[in-house]
Structure formats: C-alpha cells, structure tokens
Amino acid sequence: MTQTTTPQFNVGDIATIAKDYKESANLDFAQPQIQVYEVMSSNDDGTITLAGVWPDIPAQYIEGVPVHCELAKQIYYDIVHARHYELGKVYLQEDIYSRPPFMVTMAERLRNTPLWEEMQAEEFHYVHELQHWLLEHVGYSRIRINQFWA
C-alpha cells in the first residue's frame, strides 16, 4: 500500500486548492478570478490559512502549483530595480495587467548566469519548490501572485 504525504508549505509559498475540494466546500474568495494563493500560516488544527480565502483549508487539500501549467500564468517574477526620476519628465507606469508568467521573466533576466544553470539542473516541478530553493541560494524569491491577472 502506497502512503501519500501532504507537501510541506511554508509561509509565503504559492499554492492552490484541490479542485474537487474547492468545488464542494463553501469557500469565500477575495478575488474569485485568482486561483493561486499565498500561504499565510499552517495552523495547529491541521488547516492552512491562504491569503484571500475563507475559511482555512485542511492541509491535505492544499496542492503545489506546477511550474509549467495554466495556473502558473497567474504568477510573476518581481523585477526590483531603482529608477532615476527627473523633475518634469513623464514616465510610463508598468503595465501590471500584462505581466509575463514568472518563468518567462526569470529566463530573460537570468539566462546565461550560473544561477540559471543551477536552477535548470534542479528540474523543479512546483512553484513552492523553486521558492524554497531561491530563498536558500539567494535569500529571496521575488515570485509573486499577479493580483491583477484576469
């Protein structure tokens, strides 16, 4: 008999809710169009609190988001860079509604770097696995949920 285990999710990880549980449970969503969620806490009662979802979800119904799937399009890689502003000059704002999926941006920014080569060698299956690896190797992940995705 094969025993299945629930993946370990940390605060800040990106996850989703098992489809059959989501359809049968009476859940409230802050943004119904978003189907990926940030883990806010793992609770002593065996539930997980997800940002923008009520009530808490039993841990066995929290799933990883595959790196290469339709849901991953709701996730972006946050590019942090300083911008020099000049008085009187008009700047265009970032188009938050058409951010590319996180792996597209990561490939553009990190390609031909040792970090990218190491990441490719790992062959991550789930977004939260990549988040954990980035935190361990560079101290941050910058992988975020695009709250404006539609």
Side-chain angles (χ1 to χ4, degrees):
M1 183 167 128
T2 306
Q3 182 177 6
T4 60
T5 59
T6 302
Q8 178 63 40
F9 292 99
N10 299 330
V11 171
D13 284 355
I14 294 175
T16 192
I17 303 168
K19 186 177 180 177
D20 49 343
Y21 181 82
K22 189 174 183 178
E23 291 173 355
S24 66
N26 188 21
L27 302 173
D28 286 325
F29 299 94
Q31 293 181 292
Q33 77 278 14
I34 303 295
Q35 297 166 16
V36 294
Y37 313 95
E38 182 178 347
V39 173
M40 301 305 289
S41 67
S42 286
N43 308 311
D44 292 338
D45 64 356
T47 62
I48 292 182
T49 303
L50 300 175
V53 180
W54 299 275
D56 295 341
I57 310 294
Q60 67 265 28
Y61 299 111
I62 303 297
E63 298 179 342
V65 177
V67 171
H68 302 289
C69 74
E70 192 66 25
L71 287 180
K73 292 179 180 178
Q74 297 181 19
I75 303 167
Y76 73 101
Y77 183 66
D78 192 11
I79 303 169
V80 178
H81 58 280
R83 187 177 205 178
H84 177 74
Y85 289 96
E86 295 177 34
L87 191 60
K89 189 168 183 177
V90 176
Y91 292 90
L92 297 176
Q93 286 189 310
E94 175 192 11
D95 181 6
I96 57 177
Y97 295 98
S98 61
R99 290 175 174 148
F102 76 102
M103 286 303 288
V104 171
T105 306
M106 290 184 81
E108 289 171 0
R109 300 296 264 185
L110 302 175
R111 187 172 292 138
N112 300 323
T113 67
L115 181 64
W116 182 253
E117 291 173 17
E118 288 179 49
M119 280 176 44
Q120 295 304 298
E122 293 290 329
E123 297 182 11
F124 297 103
H125 297 283
Y126 297 101
V127 174
H128 71 281
E129 295 170 338
L130 176 56
Q131 287 180 287
H132 294 183
W133 187 87
L134 286 167
L135 285 169
E136 182 180 319
H137 287 80
V138 295
Y140 54 83
S141 78
R142 293 188 182 151
I143 296 174
R144 312 265 189 264
I145 298 169
N146 189 355
Q147 300 297 330
F148 301 98
W149 186 84

